[in-house]
Amino acid sequence: MRPVYPFSAIVGQDEMKLALLLVAIDPMIGGVMVFGDRGTGKSTAVRALAGLLPPMKVVQGCKYGCDPNAGGALCDECVKRHADGHHPRAVFAPVPVVDLPLGATEDRVVGALDLERALTTGEKAFEPGLLARAHRGFLYVDEVNLLEDHLVDLLLDAAATGENVVEREGVSVRHPSRFVLVGSGNPEEGELRPQLLDRFGLAVDVKTPTVIATRIDVIKRRDAFDRDPEAFLAHWHKADAKVRKQIEKGRARLDGLTVSDEVLERAAALCSALGTDGLRGELTLLRTSRALAAFDGADTVTLEHLRRIAAMALRHRLRRNVLDDAGSTTRVERAVAELWGDVGTAA
Amino acid sequence: MSALLPDAAARARELPNTSGALTALLLAVDAGGLGGAVLDHPLHEQARTYALLVQGWLPAGAPMRRVPASVTADRLYGGVDLAATLATGKLVAERGVLAGADRGVLVVPMAERLGVSARTAICEALDHAEIQVARDGIGDRHAAQVCALLLDESVDDEVLHPALRDRLAFSVRLEGPVAEDVEAIAEMELRTAYEPIVQQARERLAQVAVSEEWVTALCQTADAFGVDSVRAVLFALRTARALAALRGNSEVTEADAEKAAALVLAPRATRLPPPPPEEPETNEDEQQPQEQPEEPDAPPPQMEQPPEPDQPEQPPESDDDNAQQQDSGELLREAVQAALPPGMLEQLMQRSTAGTLAGRVGQETPNLLRGRPRGARSGLPRGGARLHLLETLRAAAPWQKVRPAPPSVAGVARPRVAVRREDFRIRRFIEKTGTTVLFVVDASGSSALYRLAEAKGAVELLLAETYARRDRVSLIAFRGQGTEVLLPPTRALARAKKVLAALPGGGGTPLAHAIDAAIEQALGVRRGGSSPLVVMMTDGRANIARDGQPGRKQAEVDALSAGARFAALHIPALFVDTSPRGEVVARRIAEAMKARYVLLPSADAKALNGLVRTAISMAEGGA
């Protein structure tokens, strides 16, 4: 097992790092879509963040990793345990990061009848799928654009409802399945359907750093990590712990933060100026700016917070404009500048 | 082991100087760090020799596994041994190929045909040196550090998937001196002579130091040649280290860095570096040098105190000695340029902004998984095929009386149904194929630019609107003496835009040629499991015959006969006549092709797009 690269040692890629931190604070923001070339450290960042999160409490012996304090959201088996008056122990487990292999079949994703047991013992048992394993963690899908439509729909439905319902082959199972979907894609290798993109909360672009000095730094750190992972991890341990604290504090502050009417109106105006349909864009703007305020330790959500996350919350929701070749990021920034005066564009 | 001939030992003190045997040595020194190699169209015998070399130099007992490109993911990952499970009544796992190749070599011929799930499995092993098997009751992690040797045997428009290429350090073309070198070293004497050298290098590897200068130079060189992937630079760095270790040094030298850059970066170049500036620039605007404490006990750069999270990332210190940097970078650039594979230099010079990923990658998933369900057939539920439980039990039912009861196993309830291999039924699906719209555009004469602009607009609109992701678009232009595929079938708008950005025009009209090219493409699309729809856009004034001679009469005759051939293949087509009042000849050719003739003298992209959409739905409905 190769060790996990520390999150705080990732050079640059600030937008991706921020997006992941914000969804870790408020998973309700929805998934993150990462556009970028090969070898830019997309999956490294996801893994690193999960490695940094505090371990979670799970019901001992639960196949689905249920949260002992979840109240309503329990799998059938845990509900039954409760009904029978059992109080299983809670144990700690690391936050899961599950890779969805491209060739995965529906069975593997949602789970299926355990055929071997059905055939050898005649028992109807359910074999949980990847959605069960990703519960309360991250589901990483490389090259989302190459995934089959029906699978993508499945994932997005589960991500949106927070549970997985299986009705097939004579088994009927439902279990909680709350996860942050992180998709990666290379825009050059097939487009993503607009309705699919729209269901991701945030979208970020990652690029190979153009500044040579940054590139050198990336290589040096990566090389130091490869050669002596333990020393490297020890060295970054403190910085990672700091980020972990920030996430925990942010989570604790989140519920106490309200968004003023002024910020609400600004968000709505921005969406209508950009012509993004539906409420998803606005909702995402609000949740994300609130998560950012919580992460910053601010008392109120300000216009500045909104401005900092506007591009990542909206860039993938713009209608493609054949006449306007400007990238979507540019278009969002332009709209922000026009609406709110030029308060400097986000770096 | 035979006693070494003295001259073999002496020869082995020199490292081989061609990329063939040298890369094999390097892979054996740092298999875990270098991933493996793409073998570029080798003879199978050569590939075998190369693989045996690597395996022979790896630590004793290194396995070698060879799998066909049609390998399924469950063979790679391992899964349930169905026959054994049924026979024993207990779950029997079988170890997959990747776990079986741990610390050894994996060879895949025709790797460009690897299916998507098999490719993912191999990438997983290369990324993590282990694979995760997600099945209840089966051990979920296996070590799988493989040195992958992928044979790239692609023809026409196939390519080895870039995700695989990116994860392998080397690309080796075994021909001429390179092949001879491999042959020579594969001789028993010499191969054995290298064994202790490789072994010592492996032990030394961890102690080899690389100075800042070479890290910097490799990064600059990668940037200069447009190599974006971080993996590539890391591979170059590790290669330099392995080279130093093989030479018995504890420090990477200039020669090591040059060789590493030539081996790893040259095959990945996507552009040529700009000529060196007249005066050395200090890159002031790119990096602000940060004063570096010149204390002897200053921590190494990667160990600098991590920045406070609320502070912006500080730029790393740049080397004070800028001139020195420039020099090292320059040296490596020359080395890379000299090592560019033949033909590549030319290619890079000509290369426009077109995307680098061309052609069709891998095969689509077999129709066992997708599309509309359609009954069941005999077969085993593996390779992604899904069991049809009801049909399986139905097949087993009539035999229950005559079959002996399955063995009962201690602790496991006796199965109630005796199911045998031959009873298994798997689900079948009908796959709905997408449509590939082939625009064949007349780029000759005066209205060429205008026509191309329309076609370009239509292509973009089509792709932008393609909600059903199954549809693809391609673009062929014809003019002067021949035709040119400007855009191979794609779904990617981004890529199409890049390619369409620069389209030239002018010349004569070789209509027969264009129809021939459309036929060829359409048949290719059909082979790929998609339905073609051809959209011809021309004013129909054919004036170049098949033999390339100008002449209206012969050109028309040729175009009509090409059209007849087109019609015989039942390729659905739309013939858009762009002439001002309609051309009789155009209409006749359209009839010969059995294409729908549309007169659209001032078509805008929107109208064209609407037409094509209608044609697609008609073609799909009528197919």
Side-chain angles (χ1 to χ4, degrees):
Chain A
M1 179 61 190
R2 292 187 181 165
V4 177
Y5 191 84
F7 187 78
S8 44
I10 296 171
V11 182
Q13 311 295 21
D14 296 334
E15 204 189 19
M16 174 169 52
K17 284 193 291 199
L18 183 62
L20 290 172
L21 287 169
L22 296 180
V23 296
I25 286 175
D26 183 7
M28 293 291 286
I29 291 171
V32 180
M33 179 71 207
V34 185
F35 292 113
D37 296 331
R38 258 175 257 296
T40 43
K42 297 182 294 253
S43 104
T44 303
V46 178
R47 258 162 244 293
L49 180 72
L52 170 136
L53 292 175
M56 54 191 207
K57 275 188 178 160
V58 291
V59 175
Q60 193 177 24
C62 172
K63 284 203 271 202
Y64 304 102
C66 280
D67 182 352
N69 315 324
L74 292 171
C75 68
D76 297 348
E77 291 171 27
C78 283
V79 169
K80 203 163 161 303
R81 280 187 202 116
H82 270 279
D84 298 348
H86 289 297
H87 289 289
R89 291 182 36 210
V91 288
F92 281 100
V95 172
V97 181
V98 176
D99 271 295
L100 183 83
L102 254 185
T105 55
E106 199 174 319
D107 300 30
R108 290 231 13 230
V109 177
V110 300
L113 182 68
D114 186 337
L115 281 178
E116 288 75 26
R117 271 166 77 184
L119 288 173
T120 51
T121 66
E123 244 184 301
K124 243 197 229 172
F126 179 71
E127 186 182 326
L130 296 170
L131 287 180
R133 284 186 43 216
H135 181 41
R136 304 169 64 200
F138 292 83
L139 185 65
Y140 179 73
V141 189
D142 201 11
E143 302 187 77
V144 166
N145 41 346
L146 302 182
L147 207 61
E148 301 215 356
D149 291 2
H150 71 274
L151 274 182
V152 175
D153 291 337
L154 257 170
L155 294 180
L156 289 162
D157 285 338
T161 58
E163 71 170 356
N164 176 31
V165 180
V166 188
E167 294 284 355
R168 53 193 300 184
E169 288 155 351
V171 284
S172 159
V173 173
R174 65 175 40 210
H175 64 83
S177 167
R178 280 195 333 272
F179 55 89
V180 173
L181 183 64
V182 182
S184 87
N186 186 337
E188 297 223 341
E189 288 174 32
E191 293 288 322
L192 272 158
R193 288 175 304 153
Q195 20 343 20
L196 170 79
L197 272 178
D198 190 41
R199 295 182 69 174
F200 278 92
L202 307 176
V204 294
D205 287 322
V206 292
K207 291 197 171 61
T208 301
T210 46
V211 180
I212 299 272
T214 314
R215 272 189 94 161
I216 294 167
D217 218 34
V218 171
I219 297 291
K220 279 203 307 222
R221 282 193 196 171
R222 190 74 227 192
D223 185 53
F225 169 73
D226 286 343
R227 301 197 64 191
D228 190 353
E230 278 168 30
F232 194 83
L233 287 168
H235 178 73
W236 289 94
H237 177 76
K238 254 205 188 115
D240 261 6
K242 223 176 215 166
V243 180
R244 181 183 313 131
K245 265 216 188 67
Q246 250 187 313
I247 293 172
E248 285 175 327
K249 276 192 186 144
R251 282 177 176 172
R253 296 179 67 93
L254 191 65
D255 290 337
L257 279 170
T258 50
V259 185
S260 68
D261 285 350
E262 190 214 356
V263 173
L264 285 176
E265 278 160 25
R266 295 284 190 137
L270 178 62
C271 286
S272 79
L274 286 165
T276 58
D277 309 332
L279 287 171
R280 278 217 181 92
E282 277 176 60
L283 260 175
T284 310
L285 280 175
L286 299 182
R287 284 193 177 130
T288 316
S289 54
R290 197 169 55 188
L292 179 61
F295 180 69
D296 280 356
D299 301 324
T300 52
V301 181
T302 65
L303 195 55
E304 179 57 19
H305 292 129
L306 192 60
R307 199 186 53 69
R308 266 169 67 195
I309 54 90
M312 67 169 86
L314 297 180
R315 67 159 56 93
H316 51 302
R317 301 176 203 281
L318 304 192
R319 279 282 187 76
R320 204 185 304 284
N321 184 342
V322 178
L323 302 174
D324 187 354
D325 259 351
S328 37
T329 309
T330 318
R331 282 164 62 196
V332 175
E333 282 169 0
R334 254 195 331 228
V336 168
E338 278 167 23
L339 284 176
W340 308 334
D342 207 345
V343 266
T345 44
Chain B
M1 218 170 97
S2 61
L4 292 182
L5 294 180
D7 66 328
R11 266 190 67 183
R13 273 198 286 276
E14 295 283 312
L15 288 185
N17 46 17
T18 71
S19 61
L22 186 58
T23 51
L25 275 172
L26 291 163
L27 287 175
V29 172
D30 189 7
L34 295 172
V38 176
L39 302 182
D40 187 356
H41 296 80
L43 303 173
H44 276 219
E45 191 47 42
Q46 293 174 326
R48 217 181 120 242
T49 309
Y50 185 93
L52 285 170
L53 268 188
V54 177
Q55 185 197 18
W57 284 327
L58 282 169
M64 162 133 47
R65 294 277 183 281
R66 191 185 154 96
V67 287
S70 57
V71 67
T72 56
D74 60 354
R75 282 291 303 126
L76 290 170
Y77 282 114
V80 178
D81 186 336
L82 205 58
T85 299
L86 287 173
T88 59
K90 274 195 304 209
L91 198 54
V92 181
E94 62 179 352
R95 214 154 75 109
V97 173
L98 289 169
D102 181 38
R103 307 201 167 269
V105 183
L106 176 78
V107 182
V108 188
M110 291 208 238
E112 70 281 353
R113 303 205 169 177
L114 275 167
V116 95
S117 50
R119 182 183 90 214
T120 315
I122 295 172
C123 285
E124 187 183 334
L126 290 170
D127 282 347
H128 305 296
E130 65 167 19
I131 45 156
Q132 295 201 24
V133 181
R135 289 202 75 120
D136 225 8
I138 291 183
D140 59 351
R141 280 194 170 169
H142 298 288
Q145 184 200 293
V146 298
C147 171
L149 301 179
L150 305 184
L151 278 58
D152 176 2
E153 303 177 68
S154 53
V155 288
D156 297 343
D157 61 350
E158 300 168 314
V159 289
L160 178 65
H161 198 280
L164 287 166
R165 231 176 235 287
D166 193 43
R167 285 168 170 81
L168 305 176
F170 307 120
S171 174
V172 183
R173 200 176 175 91
L174 292 163
E175 56 180 17
V178 182
E180 286 158 25
D181 206 19
V182 170
E183 287 299 319
I185 287 182
E187 299 286 318
M188 195 64 197
E189 292 294 344
L190 210 45
R191 205 187 69 203
T192 336
Y194 275 113
E195 275 172 20
I197 294 171
V198 173
Q199 197 184 328
Q200 283 155 19
R202 246 198 311 270
E203 289 159 8
R204 185 189 301 271
L205 190 63
Q207 284 96 55
V208 177
V210 185
S211 75
E212 187 94 359
E213 176 193 350
W214 296 118
V215 177
T216 305
L218 284 171
C219 286
Q220 287 175 329
T221 309
D223 181 67
F225 285 90
V227 181
D228 281 342
S229 173
V230 171
R231 284 191 193 102
V233 185
L234 282 169
F235 281 146
L237 196 58
R238 289 177 195 149
T239 300
R241 254 199 205 106
L243 278 165
L246 276 169
R247 293 186 217 270
N249 300 336
S250 54
E251 173 94 36
V252 165
T253 63
E254 181 184 311
D256 297 330
E258 275 187 18
K259 193 82 196 161
L263 284 173
V264 178
L265 301 180
R268 288 172 158 83
T270 62
R271 62 167 183 246
L272 291 176
E278 297 298 303
E279 292 169 37
E281 290 175 27
T282 45
N283 291 345
E284 275 302 346
D285 48 350
E286 275 205 347
Q287 42 192 57
Q288 307 107 20
Q290 183 199 331
E291 55 283 355
Q292 194 189 342
E294 282 296 342
E295 301 154 41
D297 58 347
Q302 65 272 15
M303 291 298 179
E304 82 217 8
Q305 275 313 305
E308 302 288 305
D310 51 355
Q311 280 181 6
E313 183 93 36
Q314 297 175 337
E317 57 289 301
S318 65
D319 210 313
D320 297 336
D321 199 347
N322 244 331
Q324 174 65 48
Q325 259 193 46
Q326 292 250 335
D327 280 352
S328 321
E330 204 66 52
L331 281 173
L332 295 197
R333 274 207 286 280
E334 279 162 22
V336 171
Q337 196 119 345
L340 287 176
M344 190 147 164
L345 194 64
E346 218 170 303
Q347 228 180 352
L348 293 179
M349 283 177 171
Q350 291 174 349
R351 179 167 298 171
S352 58
T353 50
T356 48
L357 176 75
R360 211 156 48 79
V361 173
Q363 293 158 293
E364 294 303 319
T365 336
N367 307 10
L368 293 166
L369 309 173
R370 36 201 268 182
R372 276 179 299 146
R374 191 184 67 181
R377 68 176 175 81
S378 252
L380 288 178
R382 45 181 25 184
R386 281 186 40 204
L387 185 76
H388 201 306
L389 192 62
L390 205 61
E391 289 298 326
T392 302
L393 295 176
R394 218 171 252 160
W399 307 98
Q400 295 306 308
K401 281 249 167 60
V402 295
R403 284 183 186 168
S408 71
V409 181
V412 180
R414 172 179 293 235
R416 283 170 240 182
V417 190
V419 179
R420 293 195 183 169
R421 220 184 150 89
E422 60 267 28
D423 301 328
F424 279 104
R425 297 288 181 273
I426 53 179
R427 293 169 189 275
R428 291 169 67 190
F429 293 96
I430 311 170
E431 189 180 339
K432 192 164 188 254
T433 55
T435 303
T436 303
V437 185
L438 309 168
F439 282 91
V440 185
V441 182
D442 187 343
S444 63
S446 53
S447 58
L449 287 178
Y450 175 62
R451 228 180 343 247
L452 277 170
E454 287 162 16
K456 179 180 150 179
V459 166
E460 291 190 5
L461 273 173
L462 261 178
L463 285 174
E465 287 180 11
T466 296
Y467 275 56
R469 281 182 33 244
R470 305 169 287 111
D471 297 348
R472 297 186 299 172
V473 177
S474 99
L475 183 64
I476 305 173
F478 59 99
R479 65 172 164 275
Q481 307 272 312
T483 58
E484 189 185 351
V485 179
L486 296 170
L487 180 69
T490 182
R491 288 196 186 97
L493 183 64
R495 194 169 142 223
K497 274 193 164 165
K498 264 190 183 174
V499 173
L500 300 180
L503 284 186
T509 307
L511 203 46
H513 258 298
I515 298 174
D516 289 343
I519 289 175
E520 207 172 302
Q521 273 250 337
L523 292 179
V525 165
R526 261 189 197 162
R527 276 196 302 274
S530 178
S531 344
L533 167 71
V534 172
V535 181
M536 294 282 287
M537 291 177 71
T538 173
D539 53 14
R541 292 175 213 164
N543 61 7
I544 305 264
R546 250 219 189 92
D547 58 8
Q549 293 307 312
R552 202 156 279 254
K553 194 112 191 81
Q554 190 54 40
E556 268 167 41
V557 171
D558 284 351
L560 285 171
S561 76
R565 212 160 62 86
F566 186 97
L569 292 163
H570 302 289
I571 302 166
L574 200 61
F575 194 104
V576 182
D577 185 346
T578 54
S579 62
R581 283 180 299 283
E583 282 282 324
V584 181
V585 180
R587 200 181 283 273
R588 291 224 323 258
I589 295 171
E591 272 168 26
M593 289 169 69
K594 297 233 184 337
R596 293 187 51 205
Y597 173 86
V598 186
L599 176 57
L600 218 68
S602 57
D604 59 358
K606 270 217 170 74
L608 192 59
N609 178 38
L611 265 177
V612 172
R613 293 230 147 269
T614 318
I616 288 181
S617 51
M618 285 185 61
E620 281 189 353

